[in-house]
Amino acid sequence: MSDDAPTVATNFIRNIVIADLESGKHASIVTRFPPEPNGHLHIGHAKSICLNFGLAKEFGGKTNLRFDDTNPLKESEDHVQAIMEDVRWLGFEWDELCNASDYFDSLYEWALYLVEQGKAYVDSQDADTIRRQRGTLTEAGVESPYRERSIEENRDLFVRMKNGEFEDGAHVLRARIDMASPNMNMRDPVMYRILNVPHHRTGDRWHIYPMYDWAHGQSDAIEGITHSLCTLEFEDHRPLYNWFVENIPAPCRPRQIEFARGNLDYTVMSKRRLLQLVEEGHVSGWDDPRMPTISGIRRRGYTPEAVRAFWTEMGISKQESIIEMGVLENAVRNDLNERAPRTMAVIDPVKVVLLNFPEGETEWLEAPVHPQKPEMGQRKVALTREVWIERADFMEEPPRKFFRMRPGGEVRLRNAFIVRCVEVVKDEAGEVLELHCEFDPDSRSGMPGANRKVKGTIHWVSAEHGVPAEVRLYDRLFSVPNPLAEKERDFLEFLNPESLSIVEHAFVEPAVAQGGAGDFYQFERLGYFSHDPEDSAPGRPVLNRTVTLRDSWRKK
Ligand code: ATP
Ligand code: MG
């Protein structure tokens, strides 16, 4: 995918935008991506990022990155930094960096305005009582005994709430709407709660913090957001979103539009659960390559191009669905197949000695960097008398249709020549130590027998030039498609015990050992690999398997 390929395919939101631009309702659009900095972003967030930034990019509009930082109990500056890095990695740059906390003064002023209008009141009941009085979907709520407080008393109490005169939970400010509304969100929702805790940006200036519903639409209005795109769970909040904007002197009226969340199988995508995995040490951190976080998939070697192409292909709709992990992996595979240089690595090595190859010599063979892309050039591959091959590529007593190395049989060493195994050297326990082979000089490239066909081709690495490497193989983090499906069981019970296996003694070509963070490869016949950006060091490579060559999970 090229850099200027569209990041959004057409969808109902895009059509609304086109209609609004054509009708002149908006001269240009402004969108926003509004994460709460209470964790790292995950692949689901990338859907929203691609949508918001993609639309603005396509139509020459703007996108703000806004931290929805209204709950100081859960938020931190670390998450803020991680989120910015993740958005940039995905290939997007925001027009303005905003914070809901930048608007605390305006929100407070508007709340006072609603108090003055008799549209907000201070409730002095505890949270449990308020919750009980909300009623149910079939039963109206109960009005608070404080609902008829005078405007003066409400103003006085609210100012004192703000000044920090009360304990947490002593009072809340509520919108005065309709306790009998069929929409539960309209039953006098809480706008402010008292929290005597410092905030990572505003310090100890505030003792009251706005609730999501009170902060969100107002922040959109302040920033002049034209299309406020959010996930379906906010559909029922839209009447409240509109009520707030309509009842204050807001500078504009943004339109909220909902779309379906992106979900994947064999993982979890709520920050709360991901936080639990991190805090309880089930993974090595937010950026563990098995995590569905942006930092995790980045570390694993997924590319931003692949993630963008994936969400473009999946589209935007109001239909909830769970996407198979294999579909995402395929997007990664497709991107890497185009771009990854080919190289050979052996992850479970056994030694082959080429008896008729001169001792102490190195022959430098030429091989294509990418067999389908001659423009990527050639690479040098060192051939020596001793080479490593994959233990699984030899069988002493193979079944039929085993086309790799066997005693007496011929096989091609990829990019080199045909060899025949003439002797198997074993230890006392019967474990294969070395395979002695003879090569056919006539079968090397440029010779008459170069194209002679043998059934199998295997990969190898020179024992003299190959560099030892650690290789980390990843599998699904969970062993069931939906770890949250069973309400009686904890999702942690479904963690896949085989999600990580570490191979400490693999061998890679020297060029791979010199690579570093950001470099990716196809290890021929094995899969796509990339340097672990944290642990790989020059001369001491650590490689993550990004994705296998084929979807092997489906078969299981
Ligand atoms: P989580 O439940 O994982 O914590 P959240 O919705 O609470 O997610 P926010 O930080 O509030 O996370 O989300 C920022 C934006 O990303 C919101 O507009 C939200 O709708 C959107 N978003 C979150 N998860 C997804 C998802 N799985 N697919 C698409 N958009 C998402
Ligand atoms: Mg949230």
Side-chain angles (χ1 to χ4, degrees):
M1 185 174 134
S2 80
D3 243 13
D4 45 5
T7 23
V8 241
T10 203
N11 59 63
F12 77 98
I13 298 181
R14 185 169 175 272
N15 292 339
I16 292 173
V17 166
I18 291 172
D20 287 349
L21 290 171
E22 282 176 356
S23 73
K25 180 179 179 193
H26 300 295
S28 67
I29 63 163
V30 187
T31 60
R32 86 284 172 268
F33 174 65
E36 184 182 355
N38 60 349
H40 284 215
L41 299 181
H42 51 63
I43 300 168
H45 289 111
K47 178 177 184 178
S48 174
I49 294 170
C50 290
L51 176 66
N52 280 292
F53 284 90
L55 279 172
K57 200 169 170 184
E58 183 181 1
F59 295 101
K62 292 182 171 176
T63 305
N64 294 344
L65 174 61
R66 181 201 312 145
F67 288 103
D68 182 17
D69 55 350
T70 53
N71 184 359
L73 293 173
K74 291 187 178 165
E75 297 158 4
S76 78
E77 184 60 29
D78 286 356
H79 294 314
V80 167
Q81 294 304 325
I83 289 170
M84 293 198 291
E85 186 181 352
D86 290 349
V87 173
R88 287 201 168 113
W89 178 77
L90 279 168
F92 300 107
E93 189 61 48
W94 46 90
D95 285 276
E96 282 179 48
L97 184 63
C98 306
N99 299 279
S101 57
D102 295 340
Y103 315 134
F104 281 177
D105 283 301
S106 303
L107 291 171
Y108 174 71
E109 293 300 327
W110 280 331
L112 272 179
Y113 176 86
L114 289 177
V115 167
E116 301 290 347
Q117 304 281 309
K119 290 177 180 165
Y121 64 97
V122 173
D123 194 340
S124 307
Q125 305 182 100
D126 60 57
D128 266 350
T129 309
I130 292 176
R131 197 172 306 124
R132 273 201 308 277
Q133 289 172 346
R134 268 188 97 204
T136 63
L137 286 173
T138 51
E139 253 176 278
V142 175
E143 293 189 355
S144 164
Y146 298 99
R147 199 171 195 263
E148 303 305 327
R149 264 178 170 150
S150 70
I151 289 175
E152 289 68 39
E153 192 182 358
N154 280 322
R155 190 196 310 116
D156 174 63
L157 284 170
F158 183 49
V159 170
R160 288 165 61 197
M161 280 167 66
K162 177 208 146 206
N163 290 343
E165 290 185 27
F166 304 115
E167 296 288 292
D168 289 8
H171 308 281
V172 291
L173 185 75
R174 296 177 73 178
R176 193 164 180 278
I177 308 179
D178 179 5
M179 287 306 290
S181 171
N183 184 328
M184 305 272 290
N185 294 302
M186 301 298 274
R187 296 183 185 172
D188 292 9
V190 174
M191 296 168 62
Y192 275 102
R193 63 221 191 276
I194 299 173
L195 281 178
N196 290 292
V197 292
H199 182 280
H200 71 98
R201 293 192 71 250
T202 58
D204 49 18
R205 175 143 180 254
W206 292 91
H207 300 272
I208 52 171
Y209 291 94
M211 303 300 288
Y212 172 89
D213 285 311
W214 171 239
H216 203 82
Q218 288 38 259
S219 303
D220 285 343
I222 292 170
E223 291 173 23
I225 302 300
T226 54
H227 301 82
S228 178
L229 313 179
C230 63
T231 34
L232 282 178
E233 69 270 24
F234 293 105
E235 195 163 23
D236 288 345
H237 294 240
R238 192 180 345 126
L240 179 57
Y241 181 102
N242 291 337
W243 189 92
F244 278 137
V245 192
E246 282 159 16
N247 281 282
I248 58 167
C252 74
R253 281 206 201 160
R255 172 171 176 192
Q256 174 180 309
I257 307 169
E258 309 85 18
F259 63 97
R261 287 178 97 81
N263 299 305
L264 284 171
D265 64 7
Y266 291 95
T267 192
V268 293
M269 283 217 280
S270 97
K271 277 183 281 184
R272 184 165 62 86
R273 300 242 164 57
L274 296 175
L275 177 69
Q276 190 181 348
L277 292 174
V278 173
E279 285 189 334
E280 294 178 4
H282 302 292
V283 294
S284 65
W286 285 100
D287 67 348
D288 186 302
R290 294 166 293 178
M291 290 278 271
T293 50
I294 304 295
S295 50
I297 61 173
R298 171 168 67 233
R299 183 166 178 183
R300 176 145 167 185
Y302 283 27
T303 60
E305 290 84 353
V307 177
R308 293 199 305 258
F310 169 71
W311 282 125
T312 303
E313 196 181 318
M314 292 302 103
I316 300 290
S317 77
K318 281 191 181 277
Q319 192 63 47
E320 289 283 5
S321 67
I322 298 177
I323 302 165
E324 284 177 29
M325 187 65 90
V327 178
L328 173 62
E329 289 176 341
N330 229 5
V332 175
R333 214 174 266 132
N334 288 342
D335 184 43
L336 292 176
N337 181 37
E338 289 290 312
R339 301 195 289 146
R342 272 49 174 172
T343 178
M344 292 191 287
V346 174
I347 59 179
D348 182 16
V350 64
K351 189 173 277 183
V352 164
V353 182
L354 302 170
L355 300 174
N356 54 339
F357 192 96
E359 249 170 283
E361 273 186 29
T362 297
E363 185 178 332
W364 291 95
L365 306 169
E366 294 257 315
V369 173
H370 192 305
Q372 282 82 46
K373 294 186 183 270
E375 67 276 15
M376 286 176 78
Q378 297 282 107
R379 68 185 207 266
K380 295 240 182 281
V381 182
L383 176 65
T384 49
R385 182 177 160 92
E386 295 188 348
V387 301
W388 301 112
I389 68 163
E390 219 63 69
R391 194 164 281 276
D393 280 339
F394 172 80
M395 275 184 94
E396 194 161 20
E397 286 163 39
R400 283 180 57 220
K401 302 213 167 167
F402 180 85
F403 298 128
R404 293 166 273 167
M405 188 178 285
R406 65 166 82 194
E410 281 194 326
V411 67
R412 182 175 285 276
L413 293 187
R414 188 163 174 80
N415 304 311
F417 40 50
I418 294 169
V419 299
R420 177 189 300 277
C421 176
V422 295
E423 192 189 357
V424 182
V425 183
K426 293 192 261 188
D427 66 11
E428 281 151 23
E431 178 93 358
V432 175
L433 287 179
E434 277 181 6
L435 298 165
H436 290 179
C437 296
E438 279 172 358
F439 75 93
D440 170 6
D442 199 39
S443 67
R444 57 204 313 162
S445 144
M447 300 298 283
N451 295 322
R452 182 157 73 82
K453 290 270 180 289
V454 284
K455 279 237 164 110
T457 297
I458 61 175
H459 59 273
W460 55 276
V461 169
S462 156
E464 188 182 325
H465 296 267
V467 179
E470 178 179 321
V471 168
R472 298 175 183 170
L473 306 172
Y474 300 103
D475 202 341
R476 305 276 194 268
L477 184 52
F478 290 91
S479 42
V480 296
N482 184 358
L484 302 173
E486 286 186 52
K487 295 279 168 280
E488 290 80 49
R489 293 178 66 183
D490 188 2
F491 75 111
L492 297 173
E493 288 179 42
F494 301 107
L495 277 167
N496 176 6
E498 281 154 28
S499 60
L500 168 63
S501 43
I502 296 179
V503 179
E504 302 203 17
H505 302 287
F507 288 97
V508 297
E509 290 184 22
V512 172
Q514 283 152 24
D519 292 333
F520 48 77
Y521 314 90
Q522 186 196 88
F523 288 177
E524 291 181 284
R525 299 179 66 230
L526 292 178
Y528 295 98
F529 291 75
S530 61
H531 284 274
D532 187 275
E534 297 298 320
D535 299 339
S536 198
R540 181 73 192 88
V542 178
L543 289 130
N544 292 324
R545 183 171 66 195
T546 306
V547 66
T548 53
L549 282 186
R550 266 171 243 71
D551 187 353
S552 54
W553 186 265
R554 220 173 239 273
K555 273 181 279 158
K556 285 191 204 168

